[in-house]
Amino acid sequence: MITGDYAATARSIATQAGIAEGDVLTGDELARLDAPELAARLETVTVFARIMPEQKLRIVQAYKAKGEIVAMTGDGVNDAPSLKAAHIGVAMGRRGTDVAREASAIVLLDDDFGAIVRSVRLGRQIYDNIRKAMAFIFAVHVPIAGLALLPLCLGLPILFGPIHIALLEMVIDPVCALVFEAERAEDDVMRRPPRAPDGPLFSLPMIGWSIFQGGLAFAMLAAVFLVETWSAMPEAELRALIFFALIAEIVALVLVNRSFSAALGAALVRHNLALRYIAAAIVGGTGLILLLPSAQALLKFGAIAWSDMALAVALGVALLVMLEGCKPLLQGIMARGAAGRRP
């Protein structure tokens, strides 16, 4: 807390506000400190009292020099330089002066500091959901591309045509646009240290995790495809089997990427209305294809036995279980590679 009040008053208010116990540094003491000495005192000081406007700016600059991410709140003309110098200046919308509002990056319309916490939580939730959607996109296109190229490489009949890819995209696009956007915040979203502002949106470990997901899905589908091909399964029936198995694995990839850390049971029961609608659409579309001979003829699908449908579903369940089992390893890798900075 930085204030112009006397030290005793400032400490009392800071205690009532829940600011951590620490040293109190007055403006007179700060004026006698050079830059290295001030940097050392920042480690223990939690309240700055009897501070002049130019000293607020010096404090902000000292924190920035230490590599900290600095957010500054204020409402007066004297706060404008420090609001402008901070990484994130937050001005009061009702009591704040025009100068303070112009110098700030954020204006609190209702002067409620709780809005800052809610904004941080929402920002982290949106950031997480973008990463989840990107992870899913990377992962889901690996088996699709693999199954398109595998028959060509082996000189076998092509599995999927444009209409099959279009149907798959009708599943993938709504998932990215609706399901991940509607995901709730992770349980630890406010317990994490702030991410580095220059950190990449999608790190190499996350890319590797996505490719691993897609690669495992492709390996399972390719194994079934090759075994059934060598077993002389009719081409139309094989196409239907692999298509439905791919749908099941896409659903598994959606469930895996809904959460970075939540257990499978918690992720399955977590409310997401968009996911329910899309899951119902997938089940309904699958049922129509199975029941309508005209739809099977259009897609060049042969009659698929219930045992083959059970195999397709089992592949999706197996992929889901295996990837969920790998999540603790991913969390360890991400924890070692995380680079966070304190605000």
Side-chain angles (χ1 to χ4, degrees):
M1 185 174 74
I2 306 173
T3 178
D5 287 331
Y6 287 98
T9 304
R11 180 70 270 173
S12 176
I13 294 174
T15 301
Q16 296 176 45
I19 295 176
E21 289 289 338
D23 295 340
V24 178
L25 184 66
T26 65
D28 291 340
E29 295 171 333
L30 189 150
R32 294 192 293 269
L33 300 177
D34 58 19
E37 291 172 336
L38 176 58
R41 290 298 305 274
L42 293 180
E43 297 292 336
T44 59
V45 173
T46 58
V47 175
F48 296 88
R50 302 298 292 168
I51 297 298
M52 301 298 290
E54 64 273 13
Q55 292 176 324
K56 292 182 181 180
L57 177 60
R58 185 184 174 193
I59 293 169
V60 169
Q61 292 172 336
Y63 274 114
K64 292 177 69 175
K66 286 171 60 65
E68 305 287 0
I69 307 303
V70 183
M72 178 75 181
T73 62
D75 58 8
V77 174
N78 293 337
D79 296 319
S82 53
L83 288 170
K84 187 68 174 179
H87 291 101
I88 305 172
V90 183
M92 304 298 108
R94 292 181 179 177
R95 293 178 294 123
T97 62
D98 291 340
V99 174
R101 291 198 294 266
E102 288 294 329
S104 299
I106 298 174
V107 177
L108 299 179
L109 298 180
D110 57 0
D111 291 2
D112 179 11
F113 275 26
I116 299 176
V117 179
R118 294 192 294 271
S119 298
V120 171
R121 182 180 183 87
L122 180 60
R124 292 187 177 192
Q125 176 184 345
I126 293 172
Y127 184 83
D128 278 354
N129 289 347
I130 291 173
R131 295 177 70 221
K132 292 173 184 178
M134 291 179 65
F136 170 75
I137 290 172
F138 271 105
V140 78
H141 284 93
V142 173
I144 293 176
L147 291 172
L149 295 174
L150 182 61
L152 293 176
C153 295
L154 299 179
L156 298 172
I158 295 176
L159 268 177
F160 300 143
I163 189 171
H164 304 104
I165 302 301
L167 283 175
L168 293 173
E169 290 298 329
M170 289 176 66
V171 175
I172 295 169
D173 289 349
V175 165
C176 295
L178 300 176
V179 173
F180 289 111
E181 180 182 338
E183 276 300 318
R184 294 167 52 187
E186 298 282 316
D187 292 338
D188 66 341
V189 69
M190 295 301 286
R191 296 195 297 270
R192 306 176 197 162
R195 61 181 178 85
D198 57 349
L201 175 64
F202 211 59
S203 62
L204 286 177
M206 286 296 296
I207 294 175
W209 168 240
S210 297
I211 293 176
F212 173 77
Q213 293 180 63
L216 182 58
F218 170 65
M220 297 171 67
L221 293 169
V224 173
F225 171 71
L226 294 176
V227 169
E228 296 294 353
T229 298
W230 291 331
S231 301
M233 187 177 195
E235 177 186 335
E237 295 180 15
L238 179 58
R239 180 177 293 111
L241 169 60
I242 299 301
F243 181 83
F244 289 125
L246 179 56
I247 291 292
E249 298 212 332
I250 289 175
V251 173
L253 291 174
V254 172
L255 296 176
V256 167
N257 288 285
R258 286 188 67 195
S259 172
F260 295 126
S261 58
L264 176 58
L268 286 175
V269 301
R270 190 160 60 182
H271 178 74
N272 188 323
L273 191 59
L275 178 59
R276 295 180 183 180
Y277 286 142
I278 290 176
I282 291 173
V283 173
T286 302
L288 288 175
I289 294 173
L290 291 174
L291 295 174
L292 296 178
S294 58
Q296 297 176 18
L298 179 64
L299 296 171
K300 297 182 179 179
F301 286 170
I304 182 170
W306 287 109
S307 59
D308 290 333
M309 279 300 297
L311 173 61
V313 173
L315 288 172
V317 172
L319 177 66
L320 177 61
V321 172
M322 285 189 287
L323 291 178
E324 285 292 332
C326 294
K327 273 189 178 179
L329 177 61
L330 170 69
Q331 294 169 22
I333 295 174
M334 296 300 292
R336 289 193 295 270
R341 298 184 182 182
R342 295 179 304 168

